[in-house]
C-alpha cells in the first residue's frame, strides 16, 4: 500500500515537472472514421534508447499504460488501448522485482472512441505514458488536436461572444463612475485588512510580543530618541513586508487581467482552501500547532541587529514568520475575499493588515508609559484564539460553497449553508458558557463576564440565522448578505427567489435579452456577476430589494445577469477560440464567454459591473461597480433611462 501511494506521488510530481520540459516522447497521432460515430485514434512513437514504456500491469498498483484523455464530454473510450506488438516481460527493480510488461523502440497504439450527439470537426485531448530508465521514472503528457472526418466545424457555427461596437470612452452621458470602478472600494478593503490586523494583535502569537519588543528597543537603544526611531522603523518594516508579499500578484495580473478572478473562483482552489481552513481551525482549537519551519525564523533572526535598518527589518521579518500560525489564518481569510478584485485590492488589504500589526510597536516605542495600561497576557488569549477557530470553521464552508456554486453540484444550497452556520454558532455558544470543552480547557473553571456577554450575543446571532433556513420573506438575513448562496440556489427550488429579489426577472443569455430589449423598446441593464461574488450578493439582497430600485428596474429595463465564473460547458458548437490582436483564449464555458465579453468591451475584470446599453448596443452612460447606496444607484439608473428615451 505504501509503495502504491509512493508511486502515485512520483507519477503526479513527475508529470508536473516533465510537463514543463521538452518531452522524451514525440507522439504522431491520426484519426480514422470506422462508423457513423465510432473513430479510431492511432499514435506512434519511437521510445528513446535505454528507455521503456509500460503496458498493462494489473499487478502493480497505480501504474498506468498509454492513456488517451479526451476533452469532449460526449466522447467515450471503448475497451482498452491496443499495442501493435507483444510486450516484453521484465523483473522491474523499480517495483520490488515484480513482473512488468514493457515496450521499447518503435511502437504504435490504437484506441477506439464513441461519440454521442454532435461530432466536432476537431477533437482535443492528451496522451500520456509511464516512461522509465534504470531508476528514473517519468510520465510525459502531450496535447493533441485531431481532425475528425465528418465533424461539424464549430468555428463556423459558434454562438460568438458579442463584441458590439461599444465606444467605452464616449458614452452618451457622463453619469456613472467609470474611472472609479476598480479603485472606489480600495479604502474599504484597506479598512478590512486593518480590522483583520487588529484581531491578529489579540492572538497569543502577537500580543505578548508587544511589551517584550518595545522594552528591548528601549533598553538596547541607549536613549529615548533612538528607541523612538527604531520603533517607528520596526513598525514601517512590518508594513513593508506585507506590501512586498503582494508584489507577485501584480506580476501575475500583468499576464492576464482575468487570472486572479479565475484563480479565486477555481473549484479546485476553493476546495483546497476549505481543507486548509479546516486544518487551521483545528489548530486554533488547540489540537496541534502550525508553524513555519524553525530554520526560516532562525535565519531571519540571525540577521537581526539593532545596529542598522537592515537588522531592524529582519527583526520585523522574524515577528512576521513566528506569528504566522495566528496571523496567516486571518490574513488568508481577507485575501480569499479580495482576490477576485485584482492585485490592488490585495495590496490594499495587505497594507491595512500590516499597518494594524506594526502600529502598536511604533506607538508604544514613542509612548512607552502606555505599556502599563496593557492587559496582562493570560487565558483570555486562548479564548480569543478558540473563538477565531469557530469563525475560521464557518469561513471554511464559504470556500466550499464557492466551489459548489460555480460547479452546480447542489451540495450546499442556501438553507444547508445557513444550517451549517447555525450548528457552528451553537458550538461557539456552548464553548463560551463552558459547556463544550476544547483542548487545554479545565472543567469547572470560572466563566468570565466577558465570555458570558459574548455567549448571549452568539445566542442572538443563532436565533437571527434560523429564519434563513425557511422560504419566508424573513429569510433575507441582510447582515450576512454576500456570504450565503443566492436565493435562487435553494432547496425550495428557483421559485424561492420570487418576492425576495430581482433575480426572478433576470435573463441569463445576452442574445435573448437583446431581442427582448428590441421587442419591448427598453434599454439593457447588464449585470456582470459571479456565483462566488460577495459584493454581487450584497447588491442583489440590499440594493435591488429596495422598493424604488426594484420597481424601476422591473418596469424600465431588460435585466440580464451574466455569470463570469460559471463552469458549465457550452455546447460543442458554441465552443471556439477567441482571438483579438495578441489575445487568444479558448471559450469553453459560460464563464469564459461572459468574462471575455466584459473585459473586451468594458476593460474590467471585477464584479459586480453594471452596464446600460441601448437596444442598438450603444453605451448610454458610464458603467458602475459595487454601489451600496441605493439612492446613488437609482440615480444612475434614471440617468441611463432618460438618455435612452432621448436616443429612442
Amino acid at each position: 500500500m505504501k509503495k502504491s501511494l509512493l508511486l502515485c506521488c512520483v507519477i503526479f510530481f513527475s508529470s508536473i515537472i516533465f510537463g514543463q520540459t521538452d518531452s522524451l516522447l514525440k507522439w504522431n497521432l491520426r484519426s480514422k472514421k470506422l462508423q457513423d460515430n465510432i473513430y479510431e485514434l492511432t499514435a506512434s512513437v519511437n521510445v528513446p534508447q535505454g528507455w521503456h514504456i509500460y503496458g498493462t500491469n494489473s499487478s502493480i498498483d497505480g501504474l498506468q499504460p498509454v492513456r488517451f484523455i479526451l476533452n469532449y464530454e460526449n466522447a467515450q473510450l471503448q475497451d482498452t488501448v491496443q499495442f501493435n506488438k507483444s510486450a516484453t516481460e521484465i523483473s522491474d527493480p523499480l517495483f520490488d522485482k515484480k513482473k512488468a510488461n514493457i515496450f521499447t523502440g518503435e511502437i504504435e497504439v490504437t484506441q477506439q472512441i464513441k461519440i454521442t450527439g454532435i461530432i466536432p470537426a476537431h477533437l482535443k485531448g492528451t496522451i500520456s505514458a509511464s516512461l522509465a530508465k534504470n531508476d528514473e521514472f517519468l510520465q510525459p503528457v502531450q496535447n493533441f488536436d485531431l481532425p475528425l472526418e465528418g465533424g461539424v466545424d464549430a468555428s463556423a457555427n459558434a454562438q460568438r461572444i458579442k463584441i458590439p461596437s461599444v465606444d467605452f470612452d464616449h458614452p452618451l452621458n457622463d453619469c456613472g463612475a467609470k474611472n472609479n470602478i476598480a479603485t472606489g472600494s480600495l479604502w474599504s478593503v484597506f479598512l478590512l485588512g486593518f480590522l483583520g490586523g487588529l484581531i491578529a494583535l489579540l492572538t497569543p502569537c502577537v500580543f505578548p510580543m508587544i511589551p517584550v519588543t518595545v522594552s528591548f528597543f528601549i533598553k538596547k537603544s541607549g536613549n529615548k530618541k533612538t528607541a523612538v526611531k527604531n520603533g517607528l522603523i520596526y513598525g514601517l518594516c512590518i508594513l513593508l513586508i506585507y506590501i512586498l508579499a503582494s508584489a507577485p500578484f501584480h506580476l501575475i495580473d500583468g499576464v492576464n487581467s482575468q487570472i486572479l478572478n479565475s484563480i479565486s473562483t477555481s473549484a479546485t482552489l476553493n476546495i483546497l482552501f476549505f481543507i486548509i481552513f479546516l486544518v487551521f481551525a483545528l489548530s486554533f482549537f488547540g489540537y496541534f500547532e502550525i508553524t513555519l519551519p524553525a530554520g526560516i525564523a532562525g535565519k531571519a533572526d540571525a540577521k537581526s541587529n539593532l545596529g542598522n535598518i537592515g537588522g531592524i527589518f529582519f527583526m520585523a521579518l522574524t515577528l512576521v514568520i513566528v506569528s504566522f500560525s495566528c496571523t496567516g489564518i486571518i490574513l488568508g481569510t481577507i485575501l480569499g475575499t479580495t482576490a477576485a478584485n485584482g492585485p490592488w485590492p490585495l495590496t490594499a488589504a495587505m497594507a491595512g493588515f500590516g499597518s494594524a500589526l506594526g502600529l502598536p510597536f511604533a506607538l508604544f516605542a514613542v509612548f512607552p508609559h502606555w505599556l502599563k495600561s496593557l492587559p496582562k497576557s493570560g487565558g483570555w488569549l486562548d479564548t480569543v484564539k478558540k473563538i477565531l477557530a469557530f469563525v475560521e470553521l464557518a469561513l471554511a464552508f464559504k470556500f466550499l460553497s464557492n466551489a459548489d456554486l460555480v460547479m452546480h453540484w447542489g451540495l450546499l444550497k442556501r438553507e444547508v449553508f445557513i444550517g451549517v452556520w447555525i450548528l457552528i454558532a451553537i458550538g461557539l455558544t456552548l464553548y463560551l458558557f463552558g459547556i463544550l470543552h476544547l483542548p487545554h480547557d479545565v472543567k469547572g473553571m470560572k466563566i468570565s463576564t466577558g465570555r458570558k456577554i459574548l455567549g448571549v450575543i452568539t445566542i442572538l446571532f443563532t436565533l437571527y440565522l434560523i429564519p434563513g433556513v425557511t422560504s419566508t420573506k424573513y429569510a433575507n438575513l441582510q447582515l450576512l448578505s454576500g456570504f450565503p448562496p443566492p436565493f435562487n440556489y435553494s432547496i425550495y427550488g428557483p421559485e424561492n427567489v420570487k418576492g425576495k429579489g430581482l433575480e426572478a426577472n433576470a435573463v441569463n443569455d445576452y442574445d435573448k435579452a437583446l431581442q427582448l430589449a428590441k421587442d419591448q423598446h427598453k434599454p439593457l441593464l447588464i449585470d456582470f456577476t459571479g456565483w462566488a461574488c460577495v459584493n454581487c450578493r450584497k447588491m442583489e439582497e440590499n440594493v435591488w430589494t429596495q422598493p424604488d430600485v426594484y420597481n424601476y428596474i422591473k418596469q424600465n429595463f431588460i435585466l440580464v445577469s451574466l455569470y463570469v465564473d460559471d463552469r458549465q460547458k457550452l455546447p460543442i458548437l458554441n465552443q471556439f477560440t477567441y482571438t483579438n490582436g495578441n489575445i487568444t483564449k479558448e471559450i469553453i464555458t459560460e464563464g469564459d464567454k461572459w468574462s471575455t465579453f466584459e473585459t473586451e468591451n468594458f476593460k474590467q475584470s471585477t464584479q459586480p459591473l453594471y452596464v446600460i446599453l441601448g437596444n442598438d448596443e450603444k453605451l448610454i452612460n458610464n458603467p458602475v461597480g459595487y454601489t451600496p447606496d441605493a439612492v446613488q444607484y437609482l440615480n444612475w439608473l434614471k440617468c441611463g433611462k432618460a438618455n435612452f428615451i432621448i436616443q429612442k
Side-chain angles (χ1 to χ4, degrees):
M1 180 65 183
K2 291 182 178 179
K3 284 196 173 288
S4 298
L5 182 61
L6 178 62
L7 174 61
C8 291
C9 293
V10 169
I11 291 174
F12 176 73
F13 286 109
S14 64
S15 64
I16 292 176
I17 296 171
F18 201 86
Q20 299 172 353
T21 62
D22 289 334
S23 175
L24 288 174
L25 296 180
K26 302 291 186 180
W27 294 95
N28 294 311
L29 295 101
R30 61 185 186 274
S31 66
K32 178 182 178 182
K33 184 175 182 179
L34 301 180
Q35 299 177 26
D36 287 343
N37 61 341
I38 303 294
Y39 288 81
E40 182 180 79
L41 307 183
T42 303
S44 58
V45 70
N46 188 7
V47 181
Q49 187 173 1
W51 293 81
H52 60 263
I53 64 173
Y54 290 91
T56 303
N57 290 280
S58 58
S59 62
I60 304 176
D61 294 336
L63 185 59
Q64 295 285 352
V66 177
R67 288 192 302 162
F68 290 85
I69 299 177
L70 309 177
N71 293 347
Y72 181 33
E73 63 271 21
N74 291 340
Q76 302 296 327
L77 301 178
Q78 302 294 297
D79 300 323
T80 58
V81 67
Q82 301 295 318
F83 293 84
N84 67 331
K85 61 182 181 181
S86 300
T88 301
E89 188 177 80
I90 64 170
S91 296
D92 201 324
L94 281 176
F95 305 108
D96 296 331
K97 301 290 185 179
K98 288 184 178 180
K99 300 295 184 181
N101 295 318
I102 65 167
F103 295 90
T104 59
E106 294 186 4
I107 64 167
E108 185 176 274
V109 298
T110 57
Q111 173 73 66
Q112 287 192 13
I113 64 169
K114 180 179 181 180
I115 300 178
T116 56
I118 297 172
I119 298 174
H122 288 262
L123 179 67
K124 297 181 180 181
T126 60
I127 181 172
S128 64
S130 299
L131 181 69
K133 175 184 178 182
N134 299 326
D135 59 350
E136 296 182 69
F137 185 92
L138 300 170
Q139 194 178 47
V141 177
Q142 179 178 321
N143 295 324
F144 64 79
D145 184 349
L146 289 173
L148 296 181
E149 181 185 348
V152 179
D153 186 1
S155 62
N157 297 281
Q159 182 182 338
R160 291 289 187 171
I161 291 181
K162 289 291 182 181
I163 307 294
S165 56
V166 175
D167 187 352
F168 179 66
D169 294 319
H170 300 93
L172 299 179
N173 191 282
D174 288 334
C175 55
K178 176 181 66 176
N179 295 327
N180 294 320
I181 292 171
T183 59
S185 61
L186 286 183
W187 277 111
S188 62
V189 175
F190 176 87
L191 292 175
L192 175 66
F194 191 84
L195 177 62
L198 293 179
I199 295 173
L201 285 172
L202 300 177
T203 61
C205 312
V206 181
F207 188 83
M209 297 294 292
I210 298 175
V212 173
T213 304
V214 174
S215 298
F216 178 77
F217 282 140
I218 295 172
K219 291 178 182 178
K220 295 294 183 180
S221 297
N223 57 70
K224 182 177 179 180
K225 182 178 179 180
T226 305
V228 170
K229 182 189 74 173
N230 289 337
L232 291 173
I233 294 174
Y234 185 77
L236 289 173
C237 286
I238 292 175
L239 170 61
L240 179 62
I241 288 167
Y242 281 104
I243 291 177
L244 289 175
S246 70
F249 295 99
H250 289 267
L251 300 177
I252 292 173
D253 193 64
V255 176
N256 185 339
S257 62
Q258 296 173 241
I259 194 167
L260 285 175
N261 188 293
S262 299
I263 290 173
S264 65
T265 58
S266 163
T268 302
L269 191 63
N270 274 282
I271 291 174
L272 179 61
F273 275 130
F274 168 69
I275 296 171
I276 290 173
F277 272 58
L278 282 181
V279 173
F280 275 142
L282 291 173
S283 173
F284 264 31
F285 280 133
Y287 291 103
F288 53 85
E289 289 292 328
I290 297 176
T291 58
L292 288 176
I296 298 177
K299 289 179 180 179
D301 188 50
K303 295 184 179 182
S304 62
N305 189 318
L306 272 182
N308 54 62
I309 294 177
I312 297 175
F313 176 84
F314 279 102
M315 283 185 64
L317 182 60
T318 302
L319 172 74
V320 171
I321 293 172
V322 299
S323 63
F324 174 78
S325 62
C326 293
T327 60
I329 305 170
I330 301 169
L331 187 60
T333 304
I334 297 168
L335 298 182
T337 59
T338 59
N341 296 324
W344 284 112
L346 282 171
T347 298
M350 296 285 259
F353 190 87
S355 297
L357 214 59
L359 187 62
F361 294 95
L363 287 176
F364 284 113
V366 176
F367 306 104
H369 59 279
W370 287 1
L371 289 173
K372 296 179 181 179
S373 62
L374 273 180
K376 301 296 182 183
S377 300
W380 67 274
L381 287 174
D382 185 63
T383 300
V384 170
K385 192 174 181 180
K386 287 173 179 173
I387 291 173
L388 288 176
F390 284 99
V391 175
E392 291 302 316
L393 190 59
L395 291 173
F397 281 93
K398 173 58 181 170
F399 286 106
L400 182 60
S401 174
N402 288 345
D404 179 56
L405 282 166
V406 299
M407 299 304 294
H408 305 293
W409 290 329
L411 299 176
L412 282 177
K413 295 292 183 71
R414 179 181 175 89
E415 296 75 22
V416 176
F417 178 90
I418 294 172
V420 170
W421 272 34
I422 290 174
L423 293 177
I424 294 172
I426 291 173
L428 176 56
T429 303
L430 295 177
Y431 166 73
L432 289 171
F433 283 108
I435 300 172
L436 175 65
H437 295 96
L438 296 169
H440 314 303
D441 290 343
V442 179
K443 289 185 178 180
M445 67 178 182
K446 184 178 179 181
I447 303 301
S448 67
T449 303
R451 277 184 63 164
K452 291 178 181 178
I453 293 173
L454 286 175
V456 172
I457 293 173
T458 56
I459 289 175
L460 295 176
F461 180 68
T462 305
L463 294 174
Y464 175 77
L465 289 176
I466 290 175
V469 300
T470 69
S471 61
T472 66
K473 64 179 181 179
Y474 302 106
N476 198 330
L477 304 183
Q478 290 193 6
L479 292 178
L480 293 178
S481 61
F483 279 90
F487 289 115
N488 57 353
Y489 198 70
S490 167
I491 62 175
Y492 303 109
E495 296 296 312
N496 185 54
V497 76
K498 289 188 176 179
K500 300 186 179 74
L502 281 162
E503 298 95 316
N505 303 105
V507 181
N508 299 120
D509 183 88
Y510 178 80
D511 291 324
K512 180 179 178 181
L514 180 61
Q515 188 58 51
L516 287 172
K518 292 177 180 179
D519 294 342
Q520 299 180 27
H521 306 291
K522 291 181 178 180
L524 274 174
L525 174 58
I526 303 177
D527 163 35
F528 288 105
T529 184
W531 289 108
C533 172
V534 173
N535 284 341
C536 302
R537 299 293 87 76
K538 289 181 179 179
M539 288 293 294
E540 293 165 4
E541 297 170 15
N542 295 339
V543 177
W544 281 8
T545 53
Q546 296 300 313
D548 289 344
V549 175
Y550 180 94
N551 292 325
Y552 197 82
I553 293 177
K554 189 174 181 180
Q555 294 169 10
N556 296 285
F557 293 93
I558 299 298
L559 175 62
V560 52
S561 293
L562 307 178
Y563 289 84
V564 303
D565 59 1
D566 198 321
R567 296 296 185 264
Q568 182 176 343
K569 287 189 176 182
L570 293 165
I572 189 63
L573 288 182
N574 293 358
Q575 298 178 16
F576 64 100
T577 301
Y578 171 75
T579 57
N580 183 14
N582 295 326
I583 298 174
T584 300
K585 181 180 178 181
E586 294 294 327
I587 306 301
I588 305 298
T589 66
E590 291 281 351
D592 293 336
K593 180 178 180 180
W594 304 131
S595 62
T596 305
F597 181 17
E598 179 187 9
T599 55
E600 288 296 285
N601 281 282
F602 309 108
K603 317 307 179 203
Q604 295 294 325
S605 59
T606 59
Q607 293 78 46
L609 180 70
Y610 302 102
V611 179
I612 298 178
L613 294 183
N615 50 31
D616 56 356
E617 300 183 278
K618 296 291 180 65
L619 185 64
I620 293 179
N621 54 356
N622 290 319
V624 296
Y626 177 59
T627 310
D629 187 330
V631 174
Q632 181 182 350
Y633 187 73
L634 180 59
N635 289 336
W636 175 77
L637 291 170
K638 289 180 177 179
C639 171
K641 173 63 176 176
N643 282 277
F644 171 75
I645 293 173
I646 293 172
Q647 296 295 322
K648 183 174 171 183

